[in-house]
Amino acid sequence: MTMRATPSTETAPVAVIERLVELACLAPSVHNTQPWLWEYDGRTIALRADLKRRLTASDPRGRNLTISCGAALHHLQFATRALGWESVVEHVPPDDDSVLARVLVGRHAHHPPVPADIELLRARCTDRRRFTAWPVPDDQLAALCRIAAAWSADAVAVTDNAARFRLELLANRALTFLDLDPGRVEEQDSWIDRSGDEGIPQELLPDDPDPLHPRTRFRPGVLEDTRLVIHSGDRVIVLGAASDDVGSWLRVGEALGAIWLEAARAGMSVVPMTQPIEVESTRHEIGRTVLASTFEPLLLVRVGWQVIGRRALPRSPRRPLKEVLSY
Ligand SMILES: Cc1cc2nc3c(=O)[nH]c(=O)nc-3n(C[C@H](O)[C@H](O)[C@H](O)COP(=O)(O)O)c2cc1C
């Protein structure tokens, strides 16, 4: 969305800015760390990473932190449009390296709000229960990859069986690596069932993992799952960019936000799977053997269908606006 920032542009009132930021904060984030800070100066909204929320053991460079901020940046733009406004975004402005993006919200002409899109934002969640056996068709995966490309990220669906098998092996290798690193395990555990408005509630982590199926990164939770009767139809999309840097991470985060909402609109479920990327050796192997070094892998997402009629999951918590937005 482009918007000419001329004096005739109608400026969004503060109440609209607050609503937009609140909606942006519904975005997914690694371990629900919500590592973003917003600052409104009366004209633009600046997005910064909250570096105190970086996962120092598993994400020392802040890749997942920045991807999470990118997802929130996408949700801000999506919400802007859904409320009938327009936005212009400057990514990674050169004058201040603490700012990931600046967003100008205004409008030249009135657009009707799209309440269904606000509902979509509110309904999106990470549903880690096993997908049904019906795989997402190739054309729908390709459409999701095109959405990522429109947000300037590279994306490839792993549809080839041999590549998929290699990816599964690498994912398992990364989990073993994670298990052997007490610092990472402790850090991950500390984000489960935390008090306050952050982290992943136990009720959102599937119970009793089935040894016949791929392992998951989290210890078992209390979410009832029907793993033994539903077989996996998981498909995987690799998201990335030409380089492994802050600007690329931000773009991949925006692409993640966009893919997730469009997948959800079509009834699909999306679950990021980042541990094979967090371990540098498996990330490198994915780039080499799965992507044939066409781009840097920065995030993996599993895409599938949830069983129709399953109970809706409770939303994971969010920090209050006053903790993340300043003026
Ligand atoms: C960069 C990133 C990495 C993530 N990695 C994982 C992961 O490896 N496994 C997982 O189950 N969820 C993963 N998630 C999903 C988060 O745990 C989830 O977004 C967060 O707990 C908030 O919950 P919600 O998506 O339901 O709002 C990731 C999300 C992001 C943005």
Side-chain angles (χ1 to χ4, degrees), residues 298-310:
L298 301 176
L299 185 73
L300 305 179
V301 291
R302 294 193 301 115
V303 187
W305 309 98
Q306 275 295 337
V307 180
I308 294 167
R310 260 186 166 176

Side-chain angles (χ1 to χ4, degrees), residues 26-32 64 67-68 71 124-126 128 199-200 204 217-218 256 260 271-275 278 299 316 318:
L26 296 176
S29 63
V30 60
H31 297 1
N32 201 20
N64 283 336
I67 292 175
S68 305
R124 186 216 58 80
C125 68
T126 308
R128 300 178 183 82
I200 308 177
L204 296 178
R217 69 179 303 160
F218 297 111
L256 172 69
W260 205 321
V271 181
M273 180 173 73
T274 35
Q275 63 280 3
E278 289 163 17
L299 185 73
S316 57
R318 289 297 183 275

Side-chain angles (χ1 to χ4, degrees), residues 54-119:
R54 183 170 53 93
L55 301 169
T56 50
S58 62
D59 189 28
R61 295 179 61 211
R63 186 193 289 125
N64 283 336
L65 167 127
T66 312
I67 292 175
S68 305
C69 290
L73 179 61
H74 166 269
H75 277 30
L76 185 84
Q77 296 167 77
F78 186 90
T80 301
R81 188 70 195 161
L83 291 183
W85 292 82
E86 298 164 30
S87 58
V88 184
V89 179
E90 184 187 10
H91 294 84
V92 199
D95 60 318
D96 184 346
D97 61 12
S98 75
V99 175
L100 290 173
R102 281 201 194 96
V103 187
L104 182 66
V105 177
R107 67 183 157 200
H108 276 283
H110 277 261
H111 304 285
V114 190
D117 279 356
I118 299 293
E119 279 316 300

